[in-house]
Amino acid sequence: MSNIHDSSRRQFLKETGVLAAATTLVASAVPKVHAAEDNTTQVALVGCGGRGTGAAMNALQVKNGPTKLVAMADVFTDRLDVSHKSLATQQPNRVDVPEDRKFVGFDAYKKAIDVLKPGDVVIFATPPAFRWLHFTYAIEKGVNVFMEKPVTIDGPTSKRMFALAEEAKKKNLKVGVGLMCRHCKARQAAADMIHDGKIGEVLTLRAYRMAGPTGSAAVGAAPAGTNELEWQIRNFHGFLWLSGGAVSDFLIHNIDEACWVKNDWPIEARASGGRHYRGNTVDQNFDHYSMEYTFADGTKLYVDGRTIPGCQKEFATFAHGTKGSAIFSTAGHIPARSRIFQGQNFTKTDQVWGYDKPEPNPYQEEWNDLIQAIRDDADYNEVERGVKSSLVTSMGRMAAHTGQKITYDQFLNCEHEFAPELAELKLGGPAPLMADAKG
């Protein structure tokens, strides 16, 4: 989701034609790579779609390197090849991935990680279903990790990731999670002021991601002769077992922002939604969601998401307190244009603060921070927060899809796992969710 010269990795996906895909693979012996300098951090990319390609580019552009991409893995050769061409063209001196370090298949992640030495970094940018599986192996091998959000999609995988986070800490591994807005300088300044009481006690939060069709959220039936598993992986936003659907992938940023402002996590969610303008699509997403989260002290967070064409667009997060209000973000991921007001109306005359400095790209900042932590051997593990953000987001989806109030504890302790046989998947084999006679 990140363009090399722009803030949006989704825009990067459009410009390069790279679609986010899953990863792993069957491969032969893997030659070890030795960095030209002892302080070079080697990077392996697992998941070579637009999201992974953008993350790899950010890894190669850090100013506190040097870094070098030495291995790539995906389940699709075409995705890997497009990603490699893009990265090698733009960073020829930092990409060293010959054919024998390009891996394809459901065991590919192991082969890519095996190229690294302890202290290097692996990027996990596959569909979220694979996150716990890949993270387990990275911990075993002692490599640092950058994983894209969301990191879980159901209760069992959330518990698994909480436990893995502790294992990573025991091994002093540095782990970043792709909730890059937490690394935005404007948002950080606004959050500090809100936590210091600038708008008083926070009573209400509002978040919106209202857009047209986004990513692969709307998916038609697999074309005749196409393997169902491979079709779903190529269109992973449409299937809950792979991604948690549109809610988990698209609304998580705004929900995480709001929880950051509140400095807490909701204890329950109520929600509604529906499908109206979907044509012959077979995915599992609604085209609009309306969610109400409640925090322990009664504070409310209202979240609206929509992917219907031709409607008003908005991508923003707002906070309302007893002494004022805040526009936490108002233009997508960057720039945030964070501002604070003395009343509840967002007018120029009521504005008492605004971030007035250039905003560095948060996609790049999260990588700068991760690499610096590796260089300094500083404590750095964003997994617990990433799991909580993913869990809370999935609470809202579950509430909308079931029509029930869902609490934090209910979701975490729900025994339903979308893909319990994930580790057994094979190319050409069946998907955990199979189409019926109507597709």
Side-chain angles (χ1 to χ4, degrees):
M1 292 194 286
S2 177
N3 170 329
I4 303 331
H5 49 76
D6 192 88
S7 63
S8 168
R9 289 184 189 163
R10 296 193 190 283
Q11 183 63 29
F12 178 71
L13 181 151
K14 294 176 184 176
E15 292 180 0
T16 62
V18 183
L19 288 174
T23 78
T24 53
L25 127 183
V26 264
S28 50
V30 184
K32 290 288 181 182
V33 179
H34 298 283
E37 300 179 39
D38 289 340
N39 67 340
T40 296
T41 300
Q42 298 178 145
V43 179
L45 172 59
V46 177
C48 302
R51 182 177 308 180
T53 307
M57 183 60 68
N58 294 138
L60 300 179
Q61 290 181 319
V62 296
K63 303 301 184 185
N64 47 358
T67 54
K68 179 172 285 189
L69 182 67
V70 297
M72 300 175 71
D74 201 283
V75 291
F76 300 121
T77 301
D78 59 327
R79 299 299 180 232
L80 192 156
D81 288 345
V82 171
S83 177
H84 179 265
K85 181 178 180 180
S86 176
L87 293 166
T89 298
Q90 298 179 72
Q91 293 286 342
N93 296 324
R94 293 195 172 189
V95 176
D96 178 18
V97 188
E99 292 301 316
D100 65 347
R101 294 202 297 271
K102 298 177 182 177
F103 308 107
V104 178
F106 276 112
D107 281 339
Y109 71 98
K110 291 184 176 181
K111 306 306 179 183
I113 291 172
D114 286 347
V115 171
L116 303 178
K117 63 183 186 300
D120 289 334
V121 183
V122 60
I123 299 170
F124 294 143
T126 68
F130 299 93
R131 207 66 81 237
W132 69 267
L133 183 66
H134 297 170
F135 192 28
T136 300
Y137 193 70
I139 294 171
E140 178 185 331
K141 292 296 182 177
V143 299
N144 301 307
V145 175
F146 175 84
M147 61 179 75
E148 267 297 350
K149 57 76 201 163
V151 301
T152 71
I153 54 178
D154 54 38
T157 57
S158 295
K159 286 186 174 181
R160 210 167 290 150
M161 286 293 286
F162 277 136
L164 289 171
E166 293 306 310
E167 290 302 311
K169 288 179 182 178
K170 291 176 183 176
K171 298 190 76 168
N172 194 30
L173 300 179
K174 320 307 177 188
V175 189
V177 172
L179 291 165
M180 69 288 163
C181 294
R182 293 272 186 160
H183 298 260
C184 167
K185 302 304 182 187
R187 289 175 176 90
Q188 288 173 350
D192 287 345
M193 296 182 74
I194 293 170
H195 295 162
D196 287 342
K198 189 69 173 180
I199 67 171
E201 182 182 354
V202 175
L203 300 178
T204 304
L205 296 144
R206 298 182 292 121
Y208 304 90
R209 187 159 181 175
M210 318 286 265
T214 307
S216 57
V219 185
T226 302
N227 175 262
E228 185 68 36
L229 174 60
E230 295 177 20
W231 175 253
Q232 290 183 22
I233 290 174
R234 285 184 182 273
N235 297 279
F236 67 96
H237 291 131
F239 303 97
L240 299 185
W241 76 268
L242 274 163
S243 64
V247 170
S248 288
D249 201 276
F250 306 146
L251 299 185
I252 187 172
H253 288 295
N254 297 83
I255 292 171
D256 183 65
E257 284 186 353
C259 293
W260 180 14
V261 170
K262 182 61 180 172
N263 203 21
D264 200 2
W265 303 98
I267 60 171
E268 70 176 40
R270 306 168 190 259
S272 61
R275 295 167 65 95
H276 292 278
Y277 301 98
R278 303 308 299 276
N280 296 321
T281 56
V282 300
D283 58 86
Q284 296 175 286
N285 291 309
F286 291 168
D287 53 24
H288 68 280
Y289 291 87
S290 182
M291 299 182 286
E292 176 192 295
Y293 289 97
T294 303
F295 293 85
D297 66 357
T299 297
K300 300 292 186 181
L301 162 61
Y302 300 99
V303 181
D304 287 310
R306 183 173 60 211
T307 55
I308 301 174
C311 298
Q312 176 185 340
K313 296 182 179 181
E314 187 167 15
F315 194 165
T317 303
F318 306 102
H320 299 270
T322 54
K323 297 180 181 179
S325 58
I327 297 175
F328 196 67
S329 65
T330 188
H333 298 319
I334 183 173
R337 300 195 180 105
S338 302
R339 285 156 280 167
I340 290 178
F341 301 83
Q342 63 183 355
Q344 301 303 321
N345 295 316
F346 301 137
T347 62
K348 276 278 189 184
T349 54
D350 284 345
Q351 182 176 327
V352 296
W353 175 85
Y355 192 79
D356 57 1
K357 301 174 184 177
E359 295 189 36
N361 187 337
Y363 287 105
Q364 188 60 56
E365 290 299 297
E366 66 182 350
W367 268 98
N368 295 343
D369 293 344
L370 174 60
I371 295 299
Q372 195 60 52
I374 293 171
R375 298 286 183 219
D376 296 343
D377 193 25
D379 290 342
Y380 196 92
N381 190 315
E382 298 183 325
V383 179
E384 181 179 339
R385 173 163 53 77
V387 176
K388 289 181 177 179
S389 184
S390 302
L391 188 160
V392 166
T393 303
S394 292
M395 278 168 57
R397 181 200 68 233
M398 187 174 181
H401 285 197
T402 63
Q404 304 296 317
K405 179 179 73 174
I406 304 296
T407 69
Y408 184 102
D409 290 338
Q410 278 179 314
F411 184 88
L412 181 59
N413 294 307
C414 177
E415 295 181 354
H416 174 72
E417 184 170 355
F418 281 111
E421 306 299 326
L422 183 79
E424 309 306 319
L425 293 178
K426 291 180 173 57
L427 287 173
L433 175 72
M434 293 299 293
D436 60 19
K438 296 182 180 179

